[in-house]
Amino acid sequence: MEVKKGPWTPEEDIILVSYIQQHGPGNWRSVPANTGLLRCSKSCRLRWTNYLRPGIKRGNFTQPEEKMIIHLQALLGNRWAAIATYLPQRTDNDIKNYWNTHLKKKLKLKLQNGNTNEDNTVTTDVSCCVNNNNRCHTNKRTVNKGQWEKKLQTDINLAKQALFQALSLDLPSSSTPPEPDSPKPHHHDHHHHHSATTTYASSTDNISKLLRNWTSSSSSSRPNNTSSLSNNRSSSTGEGGVLDHHSLFSSNSESGSVDENLNLMSETSIFQGASKRNTHKEATTNATTDDQGSLSLIEQWLFDDQGLVQCGNDQEDLIDVSLDGKNNDNDSQDLF
DNA sequence: AATCATTTCAACCGCTTTTTA
DNA sequence: TTAAAAAGCGGTTGAAATGAT
């Protein structure tokens, strides 16, 4: 059977979202078969995970997010999926794109301008990222023959340092820890960055709205709008696009009711449970599994001799705190 | 206003890893 | 135990948007 490629149309999105609302994400092979979509299962999965699934934040990256990515990239290399677990609202594809299009350039520029700022860590990271094919090495050291063990130890120390900084760099000095039962900040992050970002939440209300808006708009200004949903640029910038993705998918005040189906597959489960594979994955990529509250093994190992492992929810809090753009902007501005 | 160059990012491709039978 | 299928990942591409001239 012929498989369609290229940008997804709003109709296809509707079909896909409707199906997933009924059956949940996963079993992608059955999606084209049961929906009639002329897409391969891979394409369906990608469309869902990178674009349609609820909880994705789109739009400009905040400076704390940038810093987080830079540190994590220095630590983990181009392991975008692993990095994305620390930025739950961002997709690995988005982070990868942002790195390739913005951060790489920014860092290179920073290096060229003679990086004499006080932030030695970031200087190190930048050197690593730009000079060493995105892998953090101890490139400032000369490694004597037979001393690879020493080098390895140095790398481990650097990794520990980088991870510590990645997870705590934005810890506000005077902030109060979140209430134990209060919602995590990243679930409401769009309140802070509402103008620049978008949070998606699919529901039948929104889907019907999507359809309504699309059909009504198809006869108006834009002659060819088949890719209006696919084309994020128009929606994220809020200009030009007849069919604004935000208005279609966000759980805004207008469409406040969230479909009951959505409750069956809670946002958390969608983030975390789409892949059985994740539950068996190595610790570094494991931040979204059931025991998300605890530090992963490798993190525990990395933190171990620094006495940094405290209680279970610390990591999550650190992530949340560092994603809160309100604090420590000074730090970031020093960097950029 | 027109043309060309550059940037952005959604989607694809190929490969690896994991799961299933 | 093993082979096939499915899922996941990172690199890359190319159309569309944007910027420069």
Side-chain angles (χ1 to χ4, degrees):
Chain A
M1 195 144 100
E2 192 181 333
V3 178
K4 191 183 170 195
K5 291 181 182 177
W8 280 65
T9 65
E11 296 99 320
E12 289 176 310
D13 282 339
I14 292 166
I15 292 169
L16 179 60
V17 171
S18 303
Y19 181 81
I20 290 172
Q21 281 198 317
Q22 287 171 26
H23 301 93
N27 194 13
W28 296 107
R29 200 185 177 209
S30 70
V31 176
N34 294 340
T35 60
L37 280 170
L38 298 176
R39 297 278 181 172
C40 65
S41 55
K42 222 173 167 181
S43 182
C44 294
R45 180 181 59 81
L46 208 67
R47 183 64 181 169
W48 172 256
T49 55
N50 283 345
Y51 203 81
L52 295 174
R53 73 172 160 88
I56 293 178
K57 190 168 80 174
R58 307 200 71 87
N60 299 335
F61 280 70
T62 64
Q63 288 198 333
E65 282 177 317
E66 277 191 9
K67 284 183 74 176
M68 189 82 151
I69 293 168
I70 290 168
H71 279 273
L72 287 169
Q73 201 281 342
L75 175 64
L76 300 169
N78 294 354
R79 298 179 58 199
W80 307 116
I83 291 172
T85 62
Y86 292 88
L87 297 150
Q89 294 182 308
R90 301 291 189 178
T91 68
D92 53 354
N93 208 37
D94 265 354
I95 293 172
K96 179 176 62 182
N97 280 335
Y98 191 66
W99 172 264
N100 287 329
T101 57
H102 292 87
L103 294 180
K104 237 173 165 177
K105 241 179 288 173
K106 228 173 187 176
L107 293 173
K108 202 168 184 177
L109 205 68
K110 190 76 183 170
L111 257 191
Q112 282 171 351
N113 290 343
N115 197 345
T116 56
N117 69 36
E118 306 76 25
D119 193 333
N120 295 327
T121 308
V122 171
T123 305
T124 307
D125 292 347
V126 170
S127 311
C128 294
C129 301
V130 176
N131 295 333
N132 276 310
N133 193 24
N134 301 329
R135 281 285 172 183
C136 195
H137 288 292
T138 54
N139 58 340
K140 290 175 180 171
R141 292 173 177 76
T142 313
V143 183
N144 298 328
K145 208 175 181 181
Q147 293 193 337
W148 62 270
E149 280 184 72
K150 269 188 185 173
K151 180 184 178 300
L152 186 62
Q153 185 58 51
T154 311
D155 282 345
I156 290 168
N157 290 336
L158 271 180
K160 286 181 183 181
Q161 193 187 352
L163 178 63
F164 170 65
Q165 279 159 355
L167 294 178
S168 64
L169 51 91
D170 293 302
L171 224 144
S173 55
S174 59
S175 71
T176 52
E179 293 294 324
D181 293 325
S182 67
K184 298 299 175 193
H186 65 254
H187 292 149
H188 302 279
D189 208 33
H190 55 281
H191 292 293
H192 301 309
H193 316 295
H194 193 70
S195 60
T197 60
T198 308
T199 300
Y200 297 93
S202 55
S203 69
T204 49
D205 285 346
N206 288 332
I207 291 163
S208 64
K209 193 198 266 185
L210 185 155
L211 187 57
R212 204 166 49 240
N213 286 2
W214 183 76
T215 49
S216 66
S217 65
S218 64
S219 60
S220 58
S221 58
R222 203 174 186 179
N224 177 11
N225 62 0
T226 53
S227 64
S228 57
L229 246 183
S230 307
N231 186 352
N232 179 51
R233 201 191 312 278
S234 61
S235 55
S236 65
T237 55
E239 52 189 45
V242 171
L243 185 64
D244 182 57
H245 205 161
H246 182 203
S247 68
L248 297 172
F249 277 101
S250 67
S251 56
N252 56 23
S253 53
E254 270 181 59
S255 60
S257 67
V258 176
D259 182 59
E260 289 169 1
N261 287 335
L262 203 57
N263 296 331
L264 294 175
M265 44 172 212
S266 70
E267 199 170 298
T268 309
S269 69
I270 292 165
F271 282 144
Q272 302 170 3
S275 164
K276 291 177 187 173
R277 185 184 179 184
N278 270 351
T279 60
H280 299 294
K281 276 201 121 183
E282 60 177 300
T284 49
T285 61
N286 205 10
T288 60
T289 52
D290 287 340
D291 53 350
Q292 179 178 8
S294 348
L295 292 176
S296 65
L297 291 176
I298 194 162
E299 285 157 353
Q300 291 193 26
W301 170 71
L302 287 168
F303 282 147
D304 195 32
D305 61 1
Q306 299 187 32
L308 289 166
V309 178
Q310 294 166 8
C311 61
N313 286 327
D314 279 4
Q315 184 207 5
E316 198 173 78
D317 291 342
L318 283 171
I319 293 170
D320 293 340
V321 164
S322 58
L323 289 179
D324 185 344
K326 286 166 116 179
N327 299 304
N328 290 304
D329 271 352
N330 293 340
D331 276 1
S332 312
Q333 277 153 10
D334 287 341
L335 288 169
F336 303 115

